[in-house]
Amino acid sequence: MTKSENKATTILSSLQNISNQGINLYINGEMATPDEIATRCVNDETVYMPDFVMDDSGALKEIRYDKVVLE
């Protein structure tokens, strides 16, 4: 397994666990599956930054991955 494949597998496993807890996942403003996020975060030439969104009680309700523009 390559380093990139190993990283994708690790990210995918974590995101699947999060998704199974009912936490919504987004990438660039659109709802996404753990597979979509893991693939794009590892294979794209782009950097994505997660934003952890909490509900009023402080529980995690969604994670939003947004493209970071580097100049």
Side-chain angles (χ1 to χ4, degrees), residues 18-48:
I18 290 167
S19 181
N20 289 339
Q21 295 175 38
I23 297 166
N24 294 322
L25 302 170
Y26 296 84
I27 193 159
N28 293 325
E30 296 184 17
M31 192 169 257
T33 66
D35 283 324
E36 292 170 318
I37 294 172
T39 299
R40 289 179 70 179
C41 286
V42 172
N43 294 330
D44 274 6
E45 299 272 330
T46 305
V47 175
Y48 291 91

